[in-house]
Amino acid sequence: MARFPLFHPFSKFTLLFLATLLSTVVISHQQQPLLSSTEQDAVYQVLDSINSAIPWRSLFPDDLCSSAPHGVVCDLFSNPDVSFAETAHVTELSFGYVSDYTPNPPCSPNSTIDPLLFTSFKYLRKLFFYQCFTEMRVSVPEIPPSFGSSLEELVFVDNPSLVGSIGGILGNFTNLRRVVLTGNGFYGNIPDGVAHLVNLEELTLSRNQLRGEISLSFAKLKKLKVLDLGYNGFAGNVTESVGNLSELLKLDLSSNGFSGKIPESFKNMQRLELLDLSLNQFSNSGIPLFLAEMPQLKQVHLSGNLLGGKIPEIWKNLGGILGIGLSDMGLVGEIPASMGVHLKNLRYLGLDNNKLEGTVPEEFGFLESVNEINLENNSLSGKVSLSRSFSAKIGHKLKLAGNPQLCVDDGFIFFSKTKSAAGLEQLKVCRKPHKPNPALLSVVSSSVQVVVPSKLLFATWVLFMLIFA
């Protein structure tokens, strides 16, 4: 993502100022309520903690609910103490320049979090930080229990220097719908309180330093659609209660230390579109047969788990799948031809680094939408019976290296990456069957047919002429 110097003609500072001129909160009342001076001053202090190089108070001297930086949003609330009266409060705070279309207040290398952030905005619904804490270590301040009763979205993306307990940042935000804490320095276990966030629709905690087993029950999270715990240090068995997430669309547990058997209860997630369990320690249970009972699947990734066994015949009901990753799993046996017959929408197939035998199914030629097939480093053999037009379409994304017993017809278009200087190596050409000389003389008797080569017949005639001449 492009980043501009602060005083470049088209810098984030300039974009921020231009966006401010166009950003006005429209309230359909003749007289707009003002933000209280206490809350307005708290916004200024939080902005200063994010980037003290920008003169926020002089740039935005007026009521911040009328004219504020992009990312500061207000709303009106009825005042129960006064009839027909409304008050204005900050409901969204978003920090960190995302793009020219979302020019939130830009962060600086020495950004910090002012404690006022968690004490002064009791109507806050959304809190967003993007690449704000990347250099100087910043600890999450203590969050009082009174904060966050209205919070619905909590988003911290790519803030590696932001550290603290995951329980400390989640707090007791009972109205949370969306939690995205990815690429930060959070550590510890997932707190049991998460099991009671009944309004939660997304829980993304990927790319942190989380550890331990997941013991909490997911039974109450009936609205959850996304569960992403990838790239952490979780271990142990995956709780069967994950299968109770009947509304789940995405389940990503990749790059952890989960072990044991993949829960059979997963088959209850009938709406699931993405299942990524790759790079864990699931073992010795084979590819789950219950995948055949999950017809909405679009992506299935199990690579890096030594599940072993053969590739099962489960593909008839999975015609909507776009990507399959089954690399480095200890798979044996042959590749089912049914994969080419039924997976009409397939874009990617990874079967590399296994122990697969037999031929490359010619039915793969039916995969009209495929962009990559990786079969490298197996024990495949025989002739690759795929059409030249198919090989021309997929090109170097048909990866067959590391199968020394494979061959192709002369002229078959295939290249694979190697360590050669040129970086390309052509697959070996199949040997053509030996054809006998077509110029033959047949000497036929009543009981025996003898085939005599024409050259031998000519030599015999010459010898006969020399003897009897």
Side-chain angles (χ1 to χ4, degrees), residues 69 184 188 205 209 215 235 256 343 385 415 433 443 449 461:
N184 305 295
L205 304 178
Q209 300 173 27
S215 57
N256 280 286
L343 303 178
S385 299
F415 290 97
V443 179
Q449 177 176 330
W461 178 81

Side-chain angles (χ1 to χ4, degrees), residues 372-373 391 394-399 414-417 424:
E372 180 175 340
I373 298 177
S391 66
I394 194 171
H396 68 278
K397 292 300 183 69
L398 176 59
K399 300 179 179 180
F414 166 79
F415 290 97
S416 64
K417 293 182 179 179
L424 297 173

Side-chain angles (χ1 to χ4, degrees), residues 222-243:
K222 301 296 185 181
K223 298 180 181 180
L224 199 64
K225 293 179 172 61
V226 175
L227 177 59
D228 186 349
L229 307 179
Y231 290 87
N232 280 290
F234 293 116
N237 295 336
V238 176
T239 172
E240 290 277 349
S241 66
V242 173

Side-chain angles (χ1 to χ4, degrees), residues 287 300 310-316 318-319 321 323-326 331 334-346 348-351 356 361-368 370 373 375:
I287 295 174
V300 178
K310 297 182 178 181
I311 301 175
E313 294 280 1
I314 59 174
W315 312 107
K316 184 177 181 180
L318 298 175
I321 282 187
I324 298 176
L326 304 176
L331 299 176
E334 298 186 355
I335 302 173
S338 59
M339 299 184 82
V341 174
H342 298 300
L343 303 178
K344 298 297 186 182
N345 295 306
L346 194 66
Y348 168 78
L349 176 61
L351 296 173
L356 298 171
E362 60 182 303
E363 288 81 2
F364 278 1
F366 300 150
L367 301 175
E368 297 180 354
V370 74
I373 298 177
L375 306 178

Side-chain angles (χ1 to χ4, degrees), residues 51-112:
N51 196 329
S52 59
I54 297 177
W56 300 106
R57 294 174 186 268
S58 57
L59 273 177
F60 307 98
D62 299 324
D63 178 66
L64 289 176
C65 285
S66 299
S67 177
H70 190 284
V72 178
V73 179
C74 295
D75 204 349
L76 294 180
F77 295 85
S78 299
N79 190 337
D81 298 327
V82 182
S83 299
F84 306 107
E86 292 181 317
T87 56
H89 297 284
V90 174
T91 56
E92 294 184 18
L93 290 172
S94 298
F95 306 110
Y97 178 82
V98 177
S99 70
D100 291 356
Y101 302 101
T102 313
N104 297 328
C107 298
S108 66
N110 59 348
S111 294
T112 61

Side-chain angles (χ1 to χ4, degrees), residues 2 10 71 76 103 183 197 239 241 256 267 388 393 418:
F10 296 101
L76 294 180
L197 302 179
T239 172
S241 66
N256 280 286
K267 67 182 179 183
R388 293 187 181 184
K393 179 187 73 172
T418 68

Side-chain angles (χ1 to χ4, degrees), residues 93-95 125-131 133 151-159 162 169 176 178-182 184 186 202 204:
L93 290 172
S94 298
F95 306 110
R125 297 191 188 117
K126 177 180 178 180
L127 182 60
F128 176 95
F129 284 90
Y130 175 68
Q131 292 187 348
F133 314 108
L151 198 64
E152 298 178 4
E153 293 188 56
L154 182 64
V155 181
F156 285 77
V157 177
D158 291 340
N159 300 281
L162 180 64
I169 189 64
L176 277 176
R178 185 168 179 251
V179 174
V180 179
L181 307 177
T182 181
N184 305 295
F186 296 125
E202 178 178 0
T204 296

